[in-house]
Amino acid sequence: MTRPGASRIAILLLIIFSANSVLVAQTATVGSEKKPDSLSGLDERFIDTGADPCTDFFNYACGNFTKYYPIPNDRSGYGTGALVAERNEYILHTMLEKAAAGGAERTPNEQKIGDYYAACLNVDAINQKGLQALQPDLDRITALKNKSELTPLLAHFQLINVNAFLGFGEQQDFKDATRQIALVDQGGLGLPERDYYFRTGEAAEKTRKDYVQHIANMLKLMGEPEATATSDAQNIMQLETALAKVSLDIVTQRDPNKVYHMMQVSELEKLTPNIDWPRFIKEGGSPAVTQLNVTNPEFFKGLSALLDTTDLNTIKAYLRWQLINGVPGIVLPAAFDDEGFDFFGRKLRGQPEQRARWKRCVQTADGALGEALGQVYVAQEFSPVSKQATVQMVKDIESAMDGDIDTLDWMSAETKVRAKAKLHAVADKIGYPDHWRDYSKLVVSRDDAFGNVQRGIVFENLRQLAKIGKPVDRGEWGMSPPTVDAYYSASMNDINFPAGILQPPLFDPKATDAENYGHIGGVVGHELTHGFDDQGRQFDGNGNLSDWWTSDDEKRFIEKADCTVKEYDSFVVVDDVKVNGKLTLGENTADNGGLRLAFMAFLEDAKRKNIDLKEKQDGYTPIQQFFLGHGQTWCGSTRPEQLRLQVQTDPHSPRQFRVNGVVRNMPEFGKAFGCKIGQPMMPQKVCRVW
């Protein structure tokens, strides 16, 4: 996953394992809940020996996975990463249950996480309160007399994560990574991304029709008569479609140069004079600023025209919709929660059932109080031995990249020096932060689930906004320690591996070195390679957006990358939908380059430890174990609706192509499994960037 900047609104954290594939595998019980399985580094149950690894390695490595772990009804997908995440979720659940039980001996953090969790579970109290907590904001919308009064309301909405018309936040300055700056970004859409409003075909049209009906249903639940709700929903759809027309598409947003336009606030006022920007910035919780990054100037020019031409009643209806849509369903009355799930879960993702409430409450608590939970989690689940082993693996893989750079025939000596300088500047963050976040000013009440969530959102947004104008804290983490994920930040030039992902089978102290290098080693190599993919390569070792390549090197890089784009463009996902090679280029480059680096590091590890690469263990050579470890990192299955959504919005390729799309570009794989040139997993032409 890449994380070019730290904006809370524009440049989002992209997960390795989709949250929608977090699912249950059950064995032992605690009370009425069952403890998820813990997989081993190489699980032979999943291998389909009847499949040909040279034809479809994913099917060979994972062909029997769904026999043991079919997709549960409360999931749109299910896989290895989901099992790890479910185990971590269960561990957090036991911690939260204990904290929620109360007691005078609780620490301040234990009081907060326990009461937050207990309030979330109290469905009766949530239903009884109804929309009482939202009424002040609804009254503010009703009271709008003219469009000139929009500014303070939009500023307030940003603080509570309501995506009305635009986004406002902070980020590291792309061209001066030592400082934090403010930014305004395109926003205001309710569908996953702008092309949902314009795609043709039966499936796309049905999604838009379902979306309009969903808006109407929510407005009716808020008290609007059916005819009014139906009319308002149509008007809201027209307004959002107009916003989408002036928005950048998801592929364009991957280019940092196209989402970086530093402007004086006075220049922004000329683009969108209908908003009082100095007042918006002040009331939005930001320190005073004179300039900021306007990610898409054309959007704000278009927004101005749209605000001028849209009638006030439509704007009010849109604001009511954005308000209710911005509140997490788990703290709304059941009818709202169910309606939200019906569209975004059942219709959009193909997920038949809502997740168990306790699991959703665990995730909500982790989102608001992640480092408070993380301290306890790390002490219990991430030993110093595991951290030391992971640190060593990371160093080995970084050393492999150092050597790999020397072998590249497409890169000039001049650029190789700069590439190594960037590599040697990469900071490694393993397990957990050095300094824990202070939640002492966050108020948590045992009988106020809605208030807890909203105060948590405001607390975090103000914490982020307070960075503006200050030096960058390079020790900060963008994920909580229990998270099953990892990321690279181009502006920080660091790789981050929370303790949550450093668990079996992804990192298994009992597994062979080959299996661990294939599993977590591939993930480490993936994140490291992000520093040199189509996005990351544009930033230098200090984290600044800088052209440090020669023109010839850049041309050859683009040619190499284009091979990968065309290769993945040919992969059919579901029905007539194919992988988007441009959208997924960065992740595909990282998958391919990362596993190659992990393989090189493993070979050095084997040499250092005198591991016989030809001696079989449990029927497989160490090199075969390495590739099987990689394959089983991505075992699982995904519902067709979720696959369609993923291909249209996610820069990661579907799981089978994160396996087959990589090994087919590594002749070492074909040699290890006895493949012949011309077979699907050993094609005549291979693509390689790193």
Side-chain angles (χ1 to χ4, degrees):
M1 181 210 84
T2 60
R3 188 173 182 259
S7 166
R8 67 187 173 93
I9 46 122
I11 303 168
L12 303 177
L13 298 179
L14 302 172
I15 55 179
I16 289 179
F17 302 107
S18 170
N20 296 296
S21 65
V22 177
L23 38 98
V24 181
Q26 302 172 333
T27 53
T29 65
V30 172
S32 61
E33 307 301 340
K34 297 181 178 181
K35 186 175 183 179
D37 291 345
S38 180
L39 303 180
S40 58
L42 179 58
D43 197 319
E44 295 188 20
R45 296 177 301 163
F46 304 154
I47 299 174
D48 182 357
T49 55
D52 184 356
C54 300
T55 300
D56 185 342
F57 183 60
F58 176 77
N59 191 38
Y60 178 81
C62 300
N64 291 327
F65 182 90
T66 55
K67 295 179 182 178
Y68 295 94
Y69 303 109
I71 305 175
N73 284 339
D74 65 347
R75 296 293 179 273
S76 58
Y78 179 44
T80 303
L83 284 167
V84 182
E86 186 72 12
R87 178 181 175 274
N88 288 349
E89 188 176 65
Y90 174 84
I91 292 166
L92 295 180
H93 171 235
T94 59
M95 295 174 181
L96 287 166
E97 288 282 348
K98 181 180 178 181
E105 72 282 358
R106 291 191 301 175
T107 66
N109 273 350
E110 287 172 338
Q111 174 269 317
K112 283 182 167 58
I113 63 175
D115 289 354
Y116 192 103
Y117 180 70
C120 182
L121 290 176
N122 194 342
V123 179
D124 290 341
I126 292 170
N127 287 333
Q128 185 176 359
K129 290 182 178 180
L131 297 184
Q132 175 184 333
L134 271 183
Q135 198 57 50
D137 287 329
L138 291 170
D139 291 343
R140 288 184 69 176
I141 295 171
T142 301
L144 287 172
K145 297 182 181 65
N146 53 65
K147 298 173 190 178
S148 66
E149 297 177 343
L150 275 173
T151 294
L153 182 58
L154 294 181
H156 167 67
F157 273 8
Q158 285 299 303
L159 270 179
I160 60 174
N161 281 6
V162 174
N163 180 40
F165 290 117
L166 55 94
F168 177 67
E170 59 72 40
Q171 70 171 113
Q172 275 180 270
D173 188 340
F174 280 174
K175 294 192 175 181
D176 182 0
T178 65
R179 67 172 189 158
Q180 300 281 156
I181 59 172
L183 86 161
V184 286
D185 191 24
Q186 65 187 42
L189 306 183
L191 286 170
E193 55 91 28
R194 59 96 64 190
D195 285 346
Y196 268 80
Y197 295 85
F198 308 117
R199 287 191 182 92
T200 58
E202 184 178 344
E205 290 172 4
K206 184 178 185 304
T207 295
R208 288 192 288 271
K209 181 180 178 180
D210 289 342
Y211 177 59
V212 172
Q213 185 60 56
H214 168 59
I215 297 173
N217 291 345
M218 293 292 273
L219 294 177
K220 282 188 288 184
L221 288 173
M222 296 172 75
E224 287 194 12
E226 183 169 356
T228 305
T230 300
S231 175
D232 282 346
Q234 293 288 351
N235 291 336
I236 290 166
M237 184 61 172
Q238 291 177 13
L239 176 56
E240 290 191 5
T241 302
L243 284 170
K245 285 180 180 178
V246 292
S247 298
L248 295 176
D249 64 74
I250 196 169
V251 175
T252 303
Q253 290 180 81
R254 293 191 69 255
D255 186 341
N257 286 291
K258 293 181 179 177
V259 290
Y260 182 81
H261 305 90
M262 290 300 296
M263 290 186 176
Q264 298 294 317
V265 173
S266 58
E267 294 178 89
L268 178 58
E269 290 182 281
K270 293 177 182 177
L271 284 176
T272 317
N274 352 46
I275 297 175
D276 182 345
W277 287 107
R279 183 178 182 184
F280 176 93
I281 291 167
K282 181 179 179 180
E283 297 194 20
S286 170
V289 297
T290 57
Q291 62 174 198
L292 72 172
N293 177 20
V294 180
T295 62
N296 181 2
E298 287 301 311
F299 173 85
F300 286 92
K301 183 178 179 181
L303 174 61
S304 180
L306 194 57
L307 288 173
D308 281 342
T309 57
T310 305
D311 65 274
L312 187 59
N313 285 336
T314 295
I315 288 175
K316 287 183 176 183
Y318 168 77
L319 293 173
R320 287 194 297 272
W321 155 241
Q322 283 290 325
L323 176 63
I324 196 68
N325 192 46
V327 177
I330 199 165
V331 294
L332 289 173
F336 291 89
D337 192 22
D338 293 343
E339 172 60 33
F341 170 73
D342 181 66
F343 176 73
F344 289 104
R346 188 175 288 113
K347 291 185 172 69
L348 208 55
R349 300 180 182 278
Q351 183 177 325
E353 296 176 5
Q354 179 76 286
R355 299 196 70 207
R357 188 168 188 90
W358 73 262
K359 296 179 180 181
R360 298 166 64 206
C361 287
V362 167
Q363 287 193 334
T364 304
D366 184 44
L369 294 153
E371 292 196 11
L373 269 172
Q375 291 183 62
V376 185
Y377 174 85
V378 165
Q380 180 177 312
E381 299 295 325
F382 191 58
S383 70
V385 173
S386 291
K387 179 165 184 173
Q388 182 179 1
T390 309
V391 168
Q392 182 60 54
M393 179 180 288
V394 171
K395 294 299 182 187
D396 288 347
I397 292 172
E398 289 173 341
S399 178
M401 174 164 259
D402 187 286
D404 184 45
I405 290 172
D406 288 332
T407 69
L408 298 176
D409 59 5
W410 56 268
M411 183 180 285
S412 67
E414 178 184 355
T415 302
K416 285 181 180 181
V417 171
R418 293 171 181 160
K420 286 195 175 191
K422 177 171 184 176
L423 171 65
H424 297 158
V426 172
D428 305 329
K429 295 179 180 177
I430 311 296
Y432 48 88
D434 293 331
H435 303 287
W436 297 102
R437 197 161 295 166
D438 179 8
Y439 296 98
S440 60
K441 294 182 180 179
L442 175 60
V443 176
V444 175
S445 173
R446 196 176 183 87
D447 61 358
D448 186 12
F450 183 97
N452 290 340
V453 167
Q454 191 159 82
R455 285 189 294 272
I457 289 169
V458 173
F459 173 84
E460 176 61 17
N461 285 340
L462 289 176
R463 188 188 73 82
Q464 296 278 2
L465 291 168
K467 300 175 187 176
I468 294 171
K470 294 181 180 178
V472 170
D473 177 7
R474 291 190 173 269
E476 185 178 9
W477 281 61
M479 292 178 177
S480 71
T483 303
V484 184
D485 201 350
Y487 69 91
Y488 168 80
S489 169
S491 291
M492 288 284 198
N493 194 26
D494 63 12
I495 49 178
N496 303 256
F497 304 97
I501 199 174
L502 302 173
Q503 304 295 325
L506 304 175
F507 175 75
D508 184 357
K510 298 178 182 178
T512 66
D513 284 0
E515 293 160 5
N516 277 332
Y517 272 92
H519 270 300
I520 197 64
V523 176
V524 172
H526 172 103
E527 300 307 335
L528 187 61
T529 304
H530 268 317
F532 303 87
D533 67 13
D534 63 313
Q535 285 181 306
R537 74 175 186 86
Q538 299 183 64
F539 293 79
D540 63 23
N542 294 319
N544 294 318
L545 187 59
S546 171
D547 187 7
W548 53 273
W549 296 63
T550 69
S551 58
D552 286 343
D553 288 332
E554 183 175 17
K555 180 180 178 181
R556 287 190 289 265
F557 177 94
I558 292 172
E559 289 173 353
K560 294 280 186 180
D562 190 54
C563 177
T564 302
V565 169
K566 292 176 180 176
E567 178 183 32
Y568 280 78
D569 272 342
S570 70
F571 295 155
V572 178
V573 179
V574 58
D575 300 330
D576 59 340
V577 179
K578 294 183 179 181
V579 174
N580 184 333
K582 289 186 177 180
L583 174 62
T584 57
L585 175 59
E587 300 299 331
N588 297 335
T589 301
D591 280 345
N592 279 268
L595 193 67
R596 177 170 295 280
L597 294 179
F599 183 72
M600 294 166 62
F602 166 63
L603 294 181
E604 286 300 312
D605 176 77
K607 184 186 299 184
R608 186 168 60 238
K609 296 177 180 176
N610 295 315
I611 296 174
D612 187 346
L613 297 179
K614 296 182 179 181
E615 183 180 352
K616 290 187 177 182
Q617 181 177 337
D618 297 327
Y620 298 98
T621 67
I623 291 179
Q624 289 175 327
Q625 287 181 336
F626 171 87
F627 285 109
L628 284 166
H630 167 67
Q632 292 195 351
T633 296
W634 303 107
C635 282
S637 54
T638 310
R639 299 188 191 277
E641 296 89 342
Q642 173 63 22
L643 281 172
R644 187 179 293 273
L645 174 68
Q646 179 179 350
V647 169
Q648 293 170 347
T649 63
D650 193 338
H652 301 82
S653 294
R655 63 179 83 242
Q656 66 267 39
F657 304 115
R658 303 195 73 171
V659 177
N660 291 346
V662 174
V663 299
R664 71 195 306 272
N665 289 318
M666 291 186 66
E668 298 89 343
F669 165 82
K671 182 178 179 181
F673 283 90
C675 303
K676 297 179 181 178
I677 293 178
Q679 289 186 283
M681 297 297 101
M682 200 172 182
Q684 290 275 358
K685 179 184 177 182
V686 300
C687 296
R688 180 184 174 186
V689 181
W690 295 99

